[in-house]
Amino acid sequence: MKRALTFLLYLCFLMVSSGLSAQNKTERERLDEEIARLDRQIAANSSKSADATARLKLTQKKVSAHRALVKAADAEVAGYNAKIKAKRREIADAQRQLDTALFYYKKLIRTAYVNRDPRIWFMYILTGDNISQGLHRYSYLKQMSTRMHSRAEKIISDREALELQKKELETLRNASLKVLESRNREYSKLKSAENSEKAIIAKLKKDTARCRKEIAAKQKRADELDRKVQGMVGKKVMSAADKKLSGEFSSNKGRLPWPVDGVVVERFGEHAHPVMKTVKVKSKGVSIAVEKDAPVYSIFEGTVCNVVIMPGYNQCVLVQHGEYYSFYCGLKDVQVKAGQKIPGGRQLGAVDTINGETQLHFQIWKSSAVQDPEKWLVK
């Protein structure tokens, strides 16, 4: 009960934190941060002469982020243009109404000017056939005077409202121009990133033999990792506590926290190589590009099954959650040991930089059946 409560509090904290983060950050700010992170990783990758395929994946994610920013800016500009169009219609309608009001007000003024002598008004009232008609004439003149003042006040009010609408239009125009300038700068960055992408692809195509060798070496390491995991997971005798923990883990599908903050650069399953389309690359997890020395956390409470060292992945930690397992690869400074019970959110270690790549490789298993991690983690 205490363990479940600890994890529940941890999960609530993460959900609240991510909610606040989402509220405080716009999509543009999130993409800017992602691009900045990728830039740092591309620089680190290049400086350590890591394989070109790794640089290509990072660059392609950067291109994708720039495209998303350009698309968002285009949508924002379109929104402003629609508002500007609507505001112009409002101003045109208001101007027509004001012109009409001025036209009739001028007619009233001319009538009043022609009959401006008070004696004429006085005689108009007195020449009535009877007192009742005189009173009606007096009422008419009074109403006309009131109408003149009322229309004058309305004209002044409408003119002020029209000027305010014109200022609002100018504000919209300036905001639209600002976003458009930002969009054009982002488009230039996109073109630069696309040129970098093309250069890396050209290099890979030029040296296909080396590229194939790198792919084969990576796939071999991945296959060795999979065999290692298969040997550590599988059908085991489940205790009542294990079954309970399995149920809790399963009920949180789609809501589990990410083990690290970063950008997914390799997804689960079989994919065509970004350059050699006939070559298939298989992954039983996701690879997440992160900042240097990024901390890695357990996604759920459980027991550390094993801490192993694997070629190309450095240290790896396998955590059991009943019949489920979470596997964290590419670590250094591991802070847990086999047999240790840990709560959700427990730091396992930090992401190591291997061959210029600072990435966490992460997997989820249900017994011996591998799962797509992104279906389990919070969106």
Side-chain angles (χ1 to χ4, degrees):
M1 182 68 182
K2 185 177 179 182
R3 289 185 305 168
L5 182 60
T6 301
F7 175 74
L8 183 60
L9 290 171
Y10 163 70
L11 188 60
C12 287
F13 169 75
L14 281 175
M15 291 176 72
V16 170
S17 298
S18 62
L20 288 173
S21 176
Q23 290 172 7
N24 292 335
K25 289 181 183 177
T26 64
E27 181 66 6
R28 187 183 298 175
E29 288 171 336
R30 186 192 67 76
L31 288 167
D32 282 337
E33 287 181 4
E34 182 176 313
I35 290 168
R37 181 189 294 122
L38 288 165
D39 278 336
R40 289 191 289 272
Q41 290 170 337
I42 290 168
N45 183 291
S46 300
S47 65
K48 298 199 176 185
S49 301
D51 66 87
T53 302
R55 289 200 302 278
L56 178 59
K57 286 180 181 179
L58 292 170
T59 304
Q60 286 177 330
K61 289 295 292 187
K62 182 181 172 182
V63 167
S64 177
H66 278 303
R67 280 180 182 152
L69 278 172
V70 170
K71 186 178 179 181
D74 283 340
E76 199 171 346
V77 169
Y80 274 121
N81 288 341
K83 289 179 182 178
I84 288 169
K85 189 176 180 180
K87 183 58 68 177
R88 281 175 175 158
R89 284 198 299 267
E90 287 178 21
I91 290 172
D93 289 342
Q95 186 67 61
R96 279 194 295 271
Q97 291 174 15
L98 181 60
D99 290 343
T100 301
L102 282 169
F103 173 77
Y104 286 108
Y105 182 68
K106 286 176 182 177
K107 288 186 71 174
L108 277 174
I109 293 295
R110 281 197 295 270
T111 302
Y113 180 78
V114 170
N115 301 293
R116 65 187 182 280
D117 191 337
R119 288 175 298 177
I120 297 175
W121 291 57
F122 187 64
M123 289 301 296
Y124 175 66
I125 295 170
L126 291 179
T127 55
D129 293 338
N130 51 51
I131 294 175
S132 178
Q133 191 181 64
L135 289 173
H136 279 300
R137 289 183 176 185
Y138 171 76
S139 178
Y140 165 74
L141 292 172
K142 187 177 179 181
Q143 286 175 8
M144 188 174 73
S145 177
T146 301
R147 193 160 62 247
M148 286 173 60
H149 282 91
S150 177
R151 286 192 178 182
E153 290 175 355
K154 181 71 166 56
I155 287 169
I156 292 170
S157 175
D158 288 349
R159 184 172 284 157
E160 288 174 350
L162 182 60
E163 289 304 315
L164 183 61
Q165 285 186 320
K166 287 179 178 178
K167 287 180 181 178
E168 288 174 359
L169 176 61
E170 191 62 26
T171 300
L172 286 171
R173 282 175 180 160
N174 291 336
S176 178
L177 285 172
K178 189 176 179 181
V179 174
L180 188 59
E181 288 171 2
S182 172
R183 183 262 183 207
N184 290 338
R185 288 195 300 270
E186 200 56 50
Y187 185 76
S188 296
K189 293 176 183 177
L190 169 61
K191 292 288 109 182
S192 176
E194 285 178 337
N195 289 336
S196 297
E197 178 187 17
K198 289 175 184 176
I200 298 171
I201 290 173
K203 181 180 178 182
L204 286 168
K205 285 182 176 178
K206 189 176 180 180
D207 195 356
T208 55
R210 181 182 175 184
C211 183
R212 288 181 182 276
K213 188 177 178 180
E214 287 177 352
I215 295 168
K218 267 196 166 184
Q219 196 61 59
K220 183 181 178 181
R221 291 194 295 270
D223 292 341
E224 288 174 359
L225 183 71
D226 294 339
R227 284 193 292 271
K228 186 71 174 180
V229 180
Q230 287 280 6
M232 294 188 289
V233 303
K235 293 183 179 180
K236 297 182 180 180
V237 178
M238 298 278 288
S239 66
D242 286 333
K243 290 178 181 178
K244 183 175 181 295
L245 191 59
S246 295
E248 291 172 355
F249 188 93
S250 179
S251 66
N252 280 284
K253 186 173 183 178
R255 299 196 303 269
L256 293 169
W258 285 75
V260 72
D261 183 26
V263 181
V264 175
V265 291
E266 184 174 66
R267 300 193 181 279
F268 174 84
E270 185 176 88
H271 314 280
H273 187 268
V275 177
M276 300 178 183
K277 303 301 181 182
T278 57
V279 178
K280 300 296 181 181
V281 181
K282 298 177 183 178
S283 175
K284 291 193 174 179
V286 293
S287 294
I288 308 166
V290 298
E291 298 285 358
K292 187 176 182 294
D293 300 327
V296 179
Y297 301 98
S298 172
I299 62 167
F300 204 80
E301 67 170 298
T303 302
V304 178
C305 286
N306 218 332
V307 179
V308 296
I309 297 176
M310 293 295 297
Y313 294 96
N314 200 355
Q315 297 185 79
C316 303
V317 176
L318 181 69
V319 181
Q320 183 181 7
H321 319 279
E323 67 176 330
Y324 293 93
Y325 297 85
S326 55
F327 194 40
Y328 313 77
C329 300
L331 306 184
K332 65 176 182 178
D333 303 328
V334 172
Q335 301 177 11
V336 295
K337 58 184 179 181
Q340 181 180 349
K341 292 186 181 299
I342 59 172
R346 172 71 156 82
Q347 184 172 343
L348 305 176
V351 181
D352 198 4
T353 300
I354 304 169
N355 297 325
E357 297 178 331
T358 308
Q359 296 180 11
L360 174 73
H361 181 70
F362 176 69
Q363 299 179 1
I364 292 179
W365 294 71
K366 181 181 181 181
S367 295
S368 58
V370 69
Q371 309 284 304
D372 181 351
E374 290 191 78
K375 292 181 179 179
W376 287 84
L377 303 176
V378 67
K379 297 293 184 275

